[in-house]
């Protein structure tokens, strides 16, 4: 049996999270096909061909897949998987990253195939058994799926990225899939992508996050200055997002992004359960807060208690 | 138009959960329960649509044992018109819930179906998408803004890079993100009024659907505990430690 990975991309390049899914899929020890659905995806095909452990690249190149609408891509994948589902050449596993792309798409595919789904998996123990966090990461469930096809979304922060081989080494064969499906029930209107020169939040080695303690959007600029010194991505607590200090795609937590960088600096964040769910697997956690009883200190490796309006400028200065 | 809202009873989000000693699950007896926060947002959005004269009737549904009637009553107190309780003592998987909701959609024929994007206990984030697949309706997941017209709903979705706007033909399925609205509290008169609103209980067997479990939870474990670290006294000490001890900055 084979594994199908549904690649996520922005039209120009493959998402780092998809490379992490490849690493997760490698533990299943079976042939891995990567599906790229989109329009004019040549650059992405080339990237996919060079990923280690990818055996073949399947391409559905059509305007109907341009915006990765779940209504269209789900029918494509269902058709691809159903075709050989009883043969040894069929797909036993379908994997995506547990990003908004994967979360939107994979349950729709699973239901079309009449199978359940395993969400946000942090470990693949065997072909049918995985570990996934529940209750905002306060418990881990070991779950066995008895479905004929396992639909799995992978928590990218729990896996390393697969290597990209050099041009001469890797060139997985490419096959085109001639299935088009354009739902008339949904229409793409627009997308507002926040442009940033900083590293992407889920992939960053260092994350500097601000919370309600910053007090204002203007003060949040200090978090940005610190992030620039450390070449870090910026994160935020829900309180900071709700107060309008930063836009919501920077939210870290159960309902936002899950990150596990080498260094996570939490500034003016109390450490609610929902926030900790998004960052408690970071390698080193630094907390800066004026409340010595803040819950964040219970998990911080380094705690600095004091007024962040004095500490932050000094820290920025110290990093020179 | 008729709006159908699905809600779930979960452990209150502020409760510190306890894992059962035998590893079979999370202790939920004698624990404070609440409506899933994302479902509250779905109910609130439906009520606002009714206040704007867009929705004519709000039907709330929950699948679970008798205790979930408490959350259905809360939804009625918030402004829903009638409630349907699909009664079962089993904890069902998202696919099974989606199948039951699909059967209900076929019967009730709502123009819009609102669900939370995920429940905060199982954290699956699946039911709305699965229901969309089964009904064949378009889906607007992780919605932070809705504009409902006669034939369409324009939905702004929270995606990883920012926001995306889609236009869906009605009937459509929407799952709510936290930023869609700020749920209200029920007033005492409304709580009293809710007691007289229509409330139907349907035994799960009446649906005759394949809702057998597809997954087994082998065990539930405590995640590795993170020990608290040390207190540093100054910015200089922090930077030195990060450089030399933790070696996470240059």
């Amino acid at each position: 049996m084979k594994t199908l990975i549904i690649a996520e991309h922005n039209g120009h390049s493959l998402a780092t999270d998809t490379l992490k899914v490849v690493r997760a899929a490698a533990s299943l020890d079976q042939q891995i096909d990567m599906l790229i659905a989109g329009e004019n995806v040549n650059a992405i095909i080339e990237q996919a061909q060079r990923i280690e452990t990818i055996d073949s690249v399947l391409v559905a190149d059509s305007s109907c897949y341009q915006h990765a609408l779940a209504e269209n891509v789900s029918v494509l994948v269902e058709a691809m998987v159903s075709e050989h589902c009883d043969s040894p050449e069929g797909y036993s596993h379908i994997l995506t990253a547990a990003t908004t792309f994967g979360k939107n798409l994979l349950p729709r595919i699973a239901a079309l195939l009449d199978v359940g789904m395993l969400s946000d998996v942090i470990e693949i123990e065997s072909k049918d058994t995985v570990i996934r966090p529940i209750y905002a990461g306060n418990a881990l469930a070991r779950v066995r799926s008895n479905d004929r096809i396992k639909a799995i979304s992978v928590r990218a922060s729990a896996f390393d990225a697969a290597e990209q081989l050099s041009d001469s080494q890797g060139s997985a064969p490419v096959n085109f899939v001639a299935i088009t499906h354009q739902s008339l029930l949904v229409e793409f209107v627009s997308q507002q992508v926040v442009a940033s020169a900083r590293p992407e939040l889920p992939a960053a080695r260092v994350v500097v996050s601000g919370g309600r303690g910053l007090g204002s959007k203007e003060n949040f600029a200090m978090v940005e200055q610190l992030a620039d010194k450390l070449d870090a991505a910026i994160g935020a607590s829900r309180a900071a997002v709700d107060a309008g200090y930063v836009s919501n795609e920077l939210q870290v937590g159960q309902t936002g992004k899950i990150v596990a960088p080498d260094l996570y600096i939490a500034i003016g964040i109390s450490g609610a359960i929902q926030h900790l769910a998004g960052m408690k697997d970071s390698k080193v956690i630094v907390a800066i807060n004026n409340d010595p009883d803040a819950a964040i200190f219970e998990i911080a490796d380094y705690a600095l208690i004091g007024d962040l309006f004095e500490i932050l400028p000094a820290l920025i200065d110290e990093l020179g | 138009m008729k709006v159908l809202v699905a809600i779930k009873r979960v452990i209150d989000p502020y409760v510190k959960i306890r894992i059962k000693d035998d590893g079979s699950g999370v202790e939920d007896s004698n624990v404070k329960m609440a409506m899933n926060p994302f479902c509250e947002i779905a109910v609130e959005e439906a009520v606002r649509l009714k206040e704007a004269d867009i929705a004519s009737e709000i039907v709330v549904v929950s699948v679970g044992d008798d205790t979930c009637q408490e959350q259905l009553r809360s939804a009625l107190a918030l402004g829903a018109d009638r409630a349907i309780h699909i009664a079962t003592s089993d904890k069902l998987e998202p696919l099974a819930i989606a199948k039951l909701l699909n059967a209900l959609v076929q019967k009730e024929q709502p123009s819009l179906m609102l669900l939370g994007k995920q429940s905060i206990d199982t954290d699956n984030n699946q039911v709305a998408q699965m229901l969309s697949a089964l009904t064949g309706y378009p889906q607007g997941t992780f919605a932070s803004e809705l504009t409902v017209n006669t034939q369409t709903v324009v939905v702004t979705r929270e995606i990883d890079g920012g926001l995306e706007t889609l236009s869906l033909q009605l009937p459509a399925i929407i799952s709510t993100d936290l930023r869609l609205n700020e749920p209200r509290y029920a007033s005492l008169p409304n709580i009293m009024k809710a007691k007289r609103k229509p409330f139907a209980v349907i035994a799960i067997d009446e649906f005759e659907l394949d809702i057998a479990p597809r997954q087994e939870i082998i065990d539930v474990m405590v995640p590795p505990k993170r020990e608290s670290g040390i207190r540093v006294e100054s910015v200089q000490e922090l930077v030195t430690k990060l450089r030399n001890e933790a070696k996470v900055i240059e």
Side-chain angles (χ1 to χ4, degrees):
Chain A
M1 301 295 280
K2 300 192 291 185
T3 301
L4 181 67
I5 294 175
I6 306 168
E8 179 172 354
H9 62 85
N10 60 5
H12 314 289
S13 60
L14 210 54
T16 315
D17 290 341
T18 298
L19 297 175
K20 298 186 170 187
V21 179
V22 174
R23 186 54 70 80
S27 63
L28 292 165
D29 200 21
Q30 53 189 15
Q31 184 178 326
I32 302 173
D33 292 354
M34 177 172 284
L35 170 67
I36 299 167
E39 190 182 25
N40 300 328
V41 287
N42 286 340
I44 299 152
I45 297 173
E46 281 171 32
Q47 281 181 40
Q49 284 184 284
R50 290 191 286 107
I51 304 171
E52 60 168 356
T53 71
I54 292 290
D55 295 289
S56 112
V57 179
L58 301 170
V59 180
D61 191 334
S62 164
S63 59
C64 64
Y65 302 127
Q66 193 190 355
H67 300 294
L69 298 175
E71 290 79 355
N72 298 341
V73 181
S74 62
V75 176
L76 164 71
V77 176
E78 192 250 347
M80 288 172 59
V81 173
S82 299
E83 199 180 1
H84 304 290
C85 74
D86 297 318
S87 93
E89 286 302 289
Y91 293 108
S92 56
H93 294 75
I94 311 171
L95 272 63
T96 67
T99 53
T100 52
F101 165 85
K103 288 174 177 173
N104 184 51
L105 175 61
L106 196 55
R108 190 164 179 125
I109 295 169
L112 291 178
L113 293 165
D114 192 31
V115 299
M117 176 180 155
L118 300 158
S119 290
D120 228 344
V121 164
I122 59 167
E123 192 180 332
I124 297 178
E125 283 199 330
S126 70
K127 285 196 162 61
D128 62 7
T129 304
V130 302
I131 296 180
R132 57 177 304 266
I134 52 176
Y135 291 89
N138 289 301
L140 299 177
R142 180 180 284 120
V143 189
R144 181 190 296 132
S145 161
N146 299 319
D147 276 312
R148 65 200 157 88
I149 299 162
K150 286 30 162 180
I152 297 172
S153 71
V154 171
R155 176 173 291 192
S157 66
F159 297 89
D160 293 327
E163 301 282 341
Q164 299 253 40
L165 305 170
S166 68
D167 286 339
S168 56
Q169 284 175 296
S171 61
V174 178
N175 292 296
F176 285 83
V177 184
I179 301 168
T180 54
H181 179 81
Q182 175 118 44
S183 169
L184 301 173
L185 301 175
V186 55
E187 195 185 326
F188 174 86
V189 178
S190 65
Q191 205 174 74
Q192 302 101 57
V193 175
V194 178
S196 170
R198 295 196 182 84
E200 277 197 63
L201 192 45
R205 208 183 61 77
V206 181
V207 174
V208 182
S209 264
R212 198 198 303 270
L214 269 307
S216 74
K217 191 177 175 150
E218 289 67 37
N219 292 338
F220 208 93
M222 285 193 292
V223 172
E224 293 171 23
Q225 285 171 34
L226 179 60
D228 289 341
K229 293 273 185 206
L230 294 165
D231 192 26
I234 290 176
S237 68
R238 187 183 169 211
V241 171
D242 283 350
Y245 303 167
V246 288
S247 55
N248 48 38
E249 73 281 346
L250 298 184
Q251 186 184 320
V252 172
Q254 184 183 22
T255 60
K257 296 220 169 50
I258 315 279
V259 299
D262 288 349
L263 173 61
Y264 188 91
I265 305 181
I267 301 163
I269 292 176
S270 63
I273 294 173
Q274 290 79 3
H275 185 76
L276 301 185
M279 45 67 77
K280 67 186 169 67
D281 293 322
S282 305
K283 213 174 279 171
V284 174
I285 298 173
V286 171
I288 299 170
N289 205 303
N290 61 2
D291 173 10
D293 297 324
I296 192 84
F297 288 130
E298 288 167 28
I299 63 156
D301 299 284
Y302 299 105
L304 184 50
I305 299 166
D307 183 355
L308 63 88
F309 296 105
E310 288 166 20
I311 292 171
L312 265 185
L315 187 54
I316 292 164
D317 198 42
E318 182 73 19
L319 291 166
Chain B
M1 70 174 61
K2 189 194 281 188
V3 179
L4 190 58
V5 185
I7 63 169
K8 185 178 183 184
R9 175 182 168 93
V10 297
I11 293 180
D12 184 279
Y14 297 102
V15 167
K16 196 169 164 56
I17 57 137
R18 203 180 70 78
I19 294 164
K20 289 181 190 167
D21 294 335
D22 64 0
S24 63
V26 168
E27 190 58 66
D28 61 359
S29 53
N30 297 319
V31 173
K32 188 180 175 207
M33 305 296 281
M35 195 190 301
N36 180 44
F38 292 97
C39 302
E40 284 186 320
I41 292 167
V43 171
E44 173 67 29
E45 195 65 17
V47 173
R48 290 186 190 192
L49 288 173
K50 191 165 182 200
E51 288 169 345
D53 282 331
I54 295 166
S56 52
E57 187 187 24
I58 303 169
V59 184
V60 281
V61 54
S62 192
V63 183
D65 63 20
D66 289 349
T67 57
C68 77
Q69 293 191 2
E70 185 189 337
Q71 276 62 45
L72 285 168
R73 294 276 176 212
S74 306
L76 292 174
L78 289 165
D81 297 295
R82 65 185 164 93
I84 299 170
H85 170 208
I86 300 176
T88 174
S89 52
D90 294 333
K91 289 202 165 96
L92 298 180
E93 291 167 11
L95 182 63
I97 302 284
K99 286 180 179 182
L100 291 162
L101 294 178
N102 178 39
L104 207 59
V105 165
Q106 302 315 320
K107 186 168 158 234
E108 294 280 343
Q109 297 285 323
S111 299
L112 197 63
M113 174 95 206
L114 294 169
L115 302 91
K117 79 164 178 180
Q118 76 191 65
S119 62
I120 58 158
D121 49 1
T122 50
D123 279 335
N124 279 311
N125 196 331
Q126 296 175 6
V127 174
Q129 296 89 317
M130 287 180 161
L131 177 60
S132 304
L134 299 179
T135 54
Y137 296 165
Q139 67 188 46
T141 52
F142 329 141
S144 58
E145 202 183 330
L146 290 186
T147 310
V148 182
N149 307 310
T150 354
Q151 304 290 329
T152 61
V153 51
V154 177
V155 50
T156 301
R157 308 179 50 233
E158 306 231 340
I159 58 169
D160 287 332
L163 298 169
E164 177 182 86
T165 305
L166 303 177
S167 173
L168 314 179
Q169 289 288 323
L170 296 177
I173 314 282
I174 300 292
S175 80
T176 61
D177 214 313
L178 280 173
R179 262 162 290 276
L180 183 60
N181 60 47
E182 192 78 43
R184 71 191 70 188
Y185 294 99
S187 66
L188 190 59
N190 286 343
I191 293 170
M192 301 310 290
K193 259 190 260 172
K195 294 188 173 161
R196 295 189 297 274
K197 287 184 177 176
F199 200 111
V201 181
I202 309 176
I204 199 160
D205 302 339
E206 288 182 30
F207 288 93
E208 295 179 354
L209 290 166
D210 168 21
I211 50 167
R214 309 298 186 83
Q215 300 173 357
E216 286 165 64
I217 295 178
I218 300 169
D219 55 356
V220 173
M221 303 157 278
V222 181
K225 189 163 163 47
R226 206 182 169 109
E227 299 299 327
S228 62
I230 58 160
R231 181 175 172 177
V232 293
E233 298 301 329
S234 69
V235 165
Q236 289 77 9
E237 190 189 348
L238 174 63
V239 171
T240 307
K241 291 225 185 288
L242 289 179
R243 277 202 180 113
N244 304 330
E245 196 176 272
K247 296 191 189 346
V248 284
I249 60 172
E250 296 292 312

